[in-house]
Amino acid sequence: MAFWDNLFAGRAAQFDSGNAVSNAIDLTKRRPSVSLSKQGAATGNLRVNLSWRMRTSDIEGRSRQSGRLLRNPAQFFKPEVVQAHTQGMVNVDLDLGCLYELADGSKGVVQPLGNFFGDLNAAPYVKLSGDDRFGGSSGETVFVNLDHRDEIKRLLFFVYIYDQTPAFDRTHAKVTLYPSNGPRIEIELDERAPQARSCAVFSLENVKGDLTVRREVRFVYGFQAELDRLYGWGLQWGRGYKTKT
């Protein structure tokens, strides 16, 4: 019995170490929220990253791989994926933005559209690092200064398609949060919404000092104004443009 006990204990240790290596929390419908405060990550800079890649339709991918399927049938169930900047693919420009409401009642938005890049060391304590037009491995990143968490009431991070062409069903998009402590937090935009142009990804709320991240993944057919109405921000919206580069 001692031999088998040691054997199973060794296997359990291997599985535990495997989870530690991945070091990520996936927010899903079954597990929609996590407390940054409880994991000791409510200070420092929270980094929020958007990355994506384009894919062809399953039908197109399978037709082009018909010869290879005979050699490797398992590939039939794996959609063909290509990088967003690959030539010949539809160019989709996903943007990461953040609606904010501070403890003093002030509200606004941080986003590439209109060049509202925010500020990390002054209100709103949210800063967009740049605008990635192609969805490369670095993606787009927003920083939140959680050392000023008492001045932040709530944040809503969202993704929208700048060129207004619905294409969420042709992208694999993911938003990853990198807290100052503990595992990263990942949210996949994995629901099919062919006609959607925007998606509320997650909210960050300060409730009596407890900072909680909650998965939303709510696709809408409109843009920021529709997200505003859904979540009760009450801002006035107008047409905006990006600076040409």
Side-chain angles (χ1 to χ4, degrees), residues 129-234:
S129 67
D131 178 21
D132 183 350
R133 305 294 179 90
F134 302 103
S137 58
S138 61
E140 292 190 6
T141 300
V142 171
F143 292 92
V144 181
N145 188 346
L146 295 183
D147 289 336
H148 291 271
R149 61 191 177 280
D150 292 338
E151 299 174 65
I152 298 173
K153 181 178 180 181
R154 61 171 178 157
L155 306 175
L156 178 69
F157 281 82
F158 61 90
V159 174
Y160 63 95
I161 300 175
Y162 173 66
D163 64 5
Q164 303 185 12
T165 303
F168 274 112
D169 63 328
R170 299 192 65 186
T171 63
H172 290 286
K174 178 172 67 175
V175 172
T176 305
L177 290 70
Y178 297 90
S180 60
N181 184 53
R184 68 183 184 275
I185 302 167
E186 297 183 345
I187 305 172
E188 300 274 358
L189 277 61
D190 52 2
E191 298 179 13
R192 290 299 183 95
Q195 300 303 315
R197 292 177 173 85
S198 305
C199 178
V201 182
F202 75 92
S203 59
L204 175 63
E205 293 191 74
N206 187 344
V207 181
K208 296 181 179 180
D210 184 14
L211 288 180
T212 300
V213 175
R214 178 171 296 277
R215 177 188 184 272
E216 300 290 339
V217 190
R218 190 171 183 180
F219 289 92
V220 299
Y221 297 118
F223 294 97
Q224 292 89 326
E226 186 169 349
L227 292 172
D228 184 311
R229 287 191 295 270
L230 287 173
Y231 290 90
W233 239 265

Side-chain angles (χ1 to χ4, degrees), residues 55-141:
R55 68 178 176 188
T56 61
S57 68
D58 292 343
I59 295 177
E60 291 173 342
R62 289 171 184 173
S63 64
R64 283 195 296 269
Q65 296 181 28
S66 58
R68 284 177 288 173
L69 292 179
L70 296 177
R71 298 189 298 271
N72 189 0
Q75 292 296 319
F76 180 86
F77 301 99
K78 185 177 181 180
E80 183 180 358
V81 177
V82 296
Q83 295 299 320
H85 57 269
T86 299
Q87 296 296 324
M89 292 298 298
V90 175
N91 183 24
V92 176
D93 183 10
L94 297 185
D95 281 344
L96 177 65
C98 176
L99 287 167
Y100 64 83
E101 180 178 0
L102 302 183
D104 63 5
S106 58
K107 302 176 182 178
V109 66
V110 172
Q111 63 179 21
L113 195 62
N115 298 321
F116 296 110
F117 291 102
D119 196 307
L120 193 62
N121 298 310
Y125 310 107
V126 180
K127 174 72 174 178
L128 177 67
S129 67
D131 178 21
D132 183 350
R133 305 294 179 90
F134 302 103
S137 58
S138 61
E140 292 190 6
T141 300

